[in-house]
Amino acid sequence: MADADSPIQYRGARLELVGADGDGVAQRLRTLIDRTDGKIVLTNGFGIEGQLIAHHIFTEKLPIDVVTIDTGRLFPETYRLWQAIEERYAVRIRAIYPEAEAVAEMVADSGINGFRYATDSRLACCGVRKVEPMKRALAGASAWITGLRSDQSSTRSRVRLIDWDATRGLVKFAPLFDRTRGSIVAECERLGVPVNELHARGYLSIGCEPCTRAVVPGEAERSGRWWWEADDSKECGIHVADRGPGRTRAA
């Protein structure tokens, strides 16, 4: 692990310790840009966290590539938000799609909704529709920006501002890692950031339509994802557990 008073050097990115440039989202993004050589990618699934980050990228015209994974099973509301974003900010969001042949083979093997019957089948579906397209979305990138927060679930409690994704060989940057959902909602309201209409109907974490339900007061934020599975540490496989040295405070 790097010394606490020294920078860490990852492939194409040099990220110093402690928030000399401030703790705001925009400041953190600028720090990442200033200290990264190479392409920076935000993957936005159109949840409220990704929307706040994308707002700063679009309004300040930051040199960050905004990409989404269209799994083919998204909510109609998500597609409406996608259109609203492009119209509001006069941008095009680059979409990455699953490989058609892989989807066809998976459906032929386990059925159109086979993911409901076994965790292995669900993980296979996520692998085809999300994990493999994510590999292409991040190809050639030096840094990957995510909307992860450390209070989203027990699995994500160790999320840090800066981490090293050893599987993909890039810096993983979570500018909202230390924020609460309430603070993000308030910031989006203050800035007029367009958000998914499903949030107002109790969908706090939004993924594919067949695998997402609304939560009720008192339920964990991500309990509406793959709710038929008993395991509390539910993930799709995109946010793998490989970890390297990182930082718990602002870059």
Side-chain angles (χ1 to χ4, degrees):
M1 181 172 292
D3 184 83
D5 296 319
S6 65
I8 51 176
Q9 180 73 43
Y10 294 139
R11 195 195 96 203
R14 185 177 62 86
L15 296 160
E16 306 279 359
L17 184 67
V18 192
D21 300 307
D23 286 334
V25 176
Q27 292 94 327
R28 289 177 175 182
L29 292 174
R30 291 191 202 98
T31 299
L32 179 66
I33 292 166
D34 290 345
R35 299 172 188 176
T36 300
D37 297 320
K39 183 170 70 172
I40 303 173
V41 175
L42 166 68
T43 52
N44 184 8
F46 303 115
I48 196 165
E49 294 85 3
Q51 287 300 100
L52 179 58
I53 298 168
H55 170 83
H56 288 289
I57 292 170
F58 294 145
T59 56
E60 301 186 32
K61 301 187 185 305
L62 300 178
I64 295 171
D65 189 17
V66 179
V67 181
T68 193
I69 307 299
D70 184 352
T71 65
R73 303 298 301 266
L74 303 180
F75 283 89
E77 291 86 348
T78 300
Y79 289 110
R80 287 199 290 271
L81 176 61
W82 185 345
Q83 179 181 356
I85 295 164
E86 294 192 335
E87 293 174 352
R88 159 77 182 275
Y89 299 103
V91 297
R92 284 286 181 266
I93 295 176
R94 183 164 66 92
I96 307 294
Y97 298 91
E99 295 287 356
E101 185 175 347
V103 172
E105 290 178 358
M106 177 187 65
V107 172
D109 178 60
S110 57
I112 188 62
N113 290 327
F115 47 79
R116 291 192 183 275
Y117 303 109
T119 300
D120 286 348
S121 296
R122 196 271 293 173
L123 289 171
C125 185
C126 289
V128 168
R129 294 186 184 274
K130 300 176 72 174
V131 178
E132 191 282 329
M134 182 65 73
K135 180 179 179 180
R136 287 182 276 125
L138 296 174
S142 293
W144 171 26
I145 301 172
T146 79
L148 296 179
R149 304 189 338 263
S150 62
D151 69 345
Q152 284 176 319
S153 69
S154 59
T155 312
R156 298 181 176 185
S157 62
R158 296 178 62 219
V159 168
R160 299 178 287 187
L161 177 68
I162 307 165
D163 218 330
W164 175 245
D165 188 320
T167 299
R168 298 179 178 92
L170 45 63
V171 166
K172 192 171 182 180
F173 193 74
L176 303 178
F177 84 106
D178 56 352
R179 305 299 167 86
T180 64
R181 183 180 185 85
S183 70
I184 292 169
V185 169
E187 187 73 356
C188 285
E189 290 176 351
R190 183 180 71 82
L191 296 171
V193 177
V195 300
N196 200 314
E197 61 198 82
L198 290 169
H199 288 317
R201 306 209 297 265
Y203 290 80
L204 301 187
S205 178
I206 302 170
C208 292
E209 187 275 336
C211 299
T212 308
R213 66 162 174 80
V215 301
V216 299
E219 281 191 305
E221 185 171 331
R222 286 179 57 82
S223 61
R225 304 292 292 276
W226 311 294
W227 67 91
W228 61 88
E229 295 181 10
D231 186 4
D232 183 49
S233 59
K234 294 174 289 188
E235 293 284 350
C236 65
I238 285 177
H239 299 294
V240 293
D242 251 318
R243 303 180 64 86
R247 294 291 183 262
T248 57
R249 299 177 64 186

